[in-house]
Amino acid sequence: MSKSFDKYQKRRLRSSYFSVVVSISLVLFMVGVLGLILLKSTSVANHFKEKTAMTLFLKDEVSKENIENLRESLLKEKFTKEIVFISKEEAAKFHAKDLGEDFIKFLGTNPLKNGIDLYLKADYVTPEKMSEIEARFQKNAFVLEVSYDKPLIQFLTKNIQRISLWLLIISAFFGLISILLINSSLRLSVYSKRFNIKTMQMVGATKSFIRKPFILQGIKLGMIGSFIALIGLATVVYYTDKYIPALQLKNDYVLLSELFGGVLIIAFLITWLSTYFATQRFLNLQTDELYY
């Protein structure tokens, strides 16, 4: 009779652990997918921002040496991502190709100017910062005119901020749900052993001694669940990169390390804290309160 009861208890315990691991892995997978969207949306937004150029049209009297000096000074600026020099001859070829005819023969002269396309780092692609940079270059003795698509910059900034805000709200919401779900699963696991906790306490075991194996077990279950979640995330990354190669997920090692590392850290912290407070609650209960 005792052996069958022990077997029943072990099966029940394994079933409890299995449900905890499944709950943790599903929740962490959901959080990981959301984190992937959040992190990648930022890099995608930065990619589009850094493809927006500010063109500096140069005066005709500016010498090649002065142009080279200007290029070198631009490369040293903290806001510069990339610069491309386009001579007036190259610009004329591009325009002739777009128009389908050589407008220089018709005009008799090339009215275009030498220009430098300045691509800024993503942090500087905002209406305010680009206006400051524009005002600075308008005072430059070599620059005739500064041109960039202001409506496009305003559109990008406004929509990126809106999307980022909603993604943060959704991430916070699902993050809270994940904490509550994992916490509930671990509390149920500890609840099934509440009488063991009280028995150990009655024979003189200290609270830290009692808590330690429960916390270690909780962290162990959390790590198992997180590794299962990471396998699921790796599968999502693989197939997303396969069918949408433009995102270059597999090659973004920084993003993947942040994502996978974040999932492991979240699993560790939530399981540790949840198990700690769950055991602490039962340690503080009276014996007759364990039945409720």
Side-chain angles (χ1 to χ4, degrees):
M1 185 71 179
S2 177
K3 289 183 180 180
S4 62
F5 179 76
D6 289 341
K7 289 181 180 179
Y8 169 75
Q9 286 291 91
K10 288 180 180 179
R11 280 199 306 270
R12 186 178 176 185
L13 190 60
R14 283 195 294 266
S15 176
S16 174
Y17 288 157
F18 178 77
S19 63
V20 170
V21 170
V22 170
S23 299
I24 291 173
S25 59
L26 288 175
V27 170
L28 290 176
F29 174 75
M30 177 187 68
V31 172
V33 170
L34 194 61
L36 178 63
I37 294 171
L38 185 63
L39 291 172
K40 198 58 188 178
S41 66
T42 302
S43 62
V44 169
N46 289 343
H47 172 76
F48 281 110
K49 282 184 173 183
E50 291 174 352
K51 291 297 180 182
T52 306
M54 173 182 283
T55 303
L56 310 179
F57 293 107
L58 307 179
K59 296 176 181 178
D60 289 333
E61 61 268 22
V62 179
S63 65
K64 290 184 178 179
E65 183 180 354
N66 288 333
I67 292 174
E68 186 60 30
N69 291 334
L70 178 60
R71 290 179 72 251
E72 289 179 2
S73 66
L74 287 174
L75 288 171
K76 295 177 182 178
E77 295 288 353
K78 59 183 179 181
F79 52 71
T80 301
K81 174 69 176 180
E82 182 185 1
I83 60 171
V84 177
F85 173 73
I86 302 175
S87 66
K88 59 193 303 183
E89 292 79 16
E90 290 175 323
K93 289 179 182 178
F94 293 143
H95 281 281
K97 186 177 180 181
D98 291 338
L99 294 172
E101 61 178 335
D102 191 351
F103 66 94
I104 294 179
K105 290 182 179 180
F106 176 76
L107 296 174
T109 183
N110 185 356
L112 302 177
K113 305 294 181 183
N114 293 323
I116 295 177
D117 284 342
L118 173 62
Y119 295 91
L120 305 176
K121 293 178 181 177
D123 292 340
Y124 293 90
V125 184
T126 65
E128 296 78 16
K129 291 184 178 180
M130 291 191 76
S131 293
E132 293 175 5
I133 295 171
E134 178 189 14
R136 172 180 168 183
F137 284 121
Q138 283 176 340
K139 299 176 182 178
N140 191 292
F142 302 149
V143 177
L144 176 67
E145 183 185 353
V146 180
S147 176
Y148 65 95
D149 195 338
K150 293 182 181 180
L152 176 61
I153 299 301
Q154 292 174 347
F155 175 81
L156 278 174
T157 303
K158 182 179 178 181
N159 284 279
I160 288 171
Q161 288 176 346
R162 184 182 299 170
I163 292 169
S164 299
L165 176 62
W166 278 107
L167 282 174
L168 285 173
I169 292 172
I170 293 170
S171 299
F173 175 72
F174 280 104
L176 179 61
I177 290 176
S178 67
I179 292 172
L180 293 175
L181 288 174
I182 294 175
N183 181 64
S184 297
S185 299
L186 290 170
R187 282 174 66 89
L188 287 173
S189 176
V190 176
Y191 176 80
S192 64
K193 298 179 181 179
R194 64 194 185 281
F195 292 108
N196 293 343
I197 292 174
K198 187 54 62 177
T199 300
M200 293 172 67
Q201 193 174 19
M202 291 175 66
V203 297
T206 62
K207 290 184 177 181
S208 59
F209 179 84
I210 297 171
R211 276 196 304 263
K212 185 177 180 180
F214 286 97
I215 291 174
L216 292 176
Q217 184 65 36
I219 292 173
K220 179 182 176 181
L221 296 175
M223 291 298 102
I224 294 172
S226 65
F227 280 118
I228 295 172
L230 290 180
I231 292 172
L233 284 174
T235 305
V236 170
V237 169
Y238 173 80
Y239 282 104
T240 302
D241 188 78
K242 182 178 179 180
Y243 293 108
I244 314 177
L247 293 177
Q248 297 183 338
L249 284 178
K250 285 170 63 178
N251 297 326
D252 197 339
Y253 300 113
V254 175
L255 181 143
L256 293 178
S257 61
E258 289 177 353
L259 179 66
F260 289 4
V263 169
L264 290 172
I265 291 171
I266 289 171
F268 175 82
L269 290 177
I270 294 177
T271 51
W272 175 56
L273 291 173
S274 296
T275 310
Y276 176 88
F277 288 112
T279 52
Q280 187 67 23
R281 175 177 178 272
F282 292 113
L283 284 169
N284 293 332
L285 290 178
Q286 299 297 322
T287 304
D288 56 345
E289 295 176 321
L290 297 177
Y291 295 92
Y292 301 99

